[in-house]
Amino acid sequence: MSSNSIGSGIIETIKTIVYALLIAGVFRTLFFQPFWIPSGSMKDTLLIGDFLFVNKMAYGYSQYSCPFAMCPFSGRIMGEEPELGDVVVFRHPTTGSDFIKRVIGLPGDKVQVQDGVLSINGEVVPQTDDGVFVETFEPQGPAGNLPQCANPSPGLGADCIKEKFIETLPNGVEHSVLNITNTRLDNTPVFTVPEGQFFFMGDNRDNSTDSRVAQGAGGVGFVPFENLIGRADRIMFSSAGRSMLFFWTWRGDRFFKAIE
């Protein structure tokens, strides 16, 4: 084989890699972004180790639609506001971290939690008892954190239990919420959502850093529309192990599971 042929083969290989990276970059920028659930704040809707693609087309595009927030424009283009109950990945307004929570308040809404029960615009959001959520008390995910439980001091390998309810939002969206214990966030002041911003909460209410706490106090506060990355629609697969590459730990009941 001649040196010219070898050189041509190397050039073609480099071109193929470059084209593949460009296509992947465009796909990730315009359509879907992969996201791996690192914490338990959205249990039992989302579990630690769930792997999903975020639909960027749902709300249009902002600078945060590009990797490393490098889109060369401000504001939002081709944007449609999320609906109450959507599960959304967004960029934290101050820390720059990506969060995933549920939309609980739209611009102009008044949101409050009293005795662990949500109210929107002065109307109590109904909750119906749905039994309990049970998981194993063991280290979870890459961080190896232990889950929080309503039953006191379960031993390793024992059942970790949380109360479970179905919450029905004013637009009819039903979703699961969990209760562990009474916390200070079970009673909040009334939050009035500013224009162009949104109020988010985790479904695992007692184990969620969300809009109930201001950004300056370590929470999320109100999130600008520009910071929304996309809507989480479906779980692709889920790993119960320390890495999503440990295929032998994948959960068989969560392949292509719709997010509600």
Side-chain angles (χ1 to χ4, degrees), residues 15-95:
K15 284 183 178 179
T16 301
I17 293 172
V18 170
Y19 292 154
L21 290 174
L22 287 173
I23 292 170
V26 170
F27 184 85
R28 188 182 188 278
T29 299
L30 296 181
F31 302 111
F32 298 97
Q33 176 174 317
F35 192 83
W36 193 37
I37 303 300
S39 74
S41 68
M42 282 294 292
K43 290 178 181 175
D44 66 328
T45 303
L46 298 172
L47 303 181
I48 295 175
D50 282 351
F51 182 83
L52 49 92
F53 282 102
V54 178
N55 180 0
K56 290 188 172 184
M57 298 175 286
Y59 310 130
Y61 303 94
S62 73
Q63 61 173 312
Y64 300 106
S65 300
C66 292
F68 312 110
M70 292 179 63
C71 282
F73 54 84
S74 60
R76 198 164 199 97
I77 60 174
M78 301 169 61
E80 292 189 9
E81 290 191 352
E83 297 181 0
L84 209 61
D86 282 1
V87 177
V88 176
V89 172
F90 59 88
R91 185 69 47 86
H92 191 286
T94 57
T95 69

Side-chain angles (χ1 to χ4, degrees), residues 44 115-118 124-133 162-169 172-179 203 205:
D44 66 328
D115 296 325
V117 178
L118 178 67
V124 173
V125 176
Q127 291 183 354
T128 57
D129 190 350
D130 195 37
V132 295
F133 170 67
K162 300 173 182 60
E163 295 179 311
K164 181 179 177 183
F165 301 90
I166 299 298
E167 186 172 80
T168 304
L169 297 172
V173 171
E174 295 183 346
H175 64 100
S176 171
V177 295
L178 302 181
N179 178 62
D203 291 348
R205 294 283 166 81

Side-chain angles (χ1 to χ4, degrees), residues 230-253:
R231 186 180 64 218
D233 292 330
R234 191 170 297 273
I235 299 162
M236 304 308 293
F237 67 90
S238 180
S239 172
R242 299 295 294 272
S243 169
M244 65 179 179
L245 300 178
F246 294 173
F247 63 87
W248 57 92
T249 66
W250 290 2
R251 301 176 175 107
D253 61 340

Side-chain angles (χ1 to χ4, degrees), residues 185-205:
L185 296 181
D186 284 339
N187 290 279
T188 73
V190 176
F191 299 97
T192 301
V193 185
E195 188 65 30
Q197 302 194 50
F198 298 87
F199 192 96
F200 288 90
M201 290 175 64
D203 291 348
N204 192 5
R205 294 283 166 81

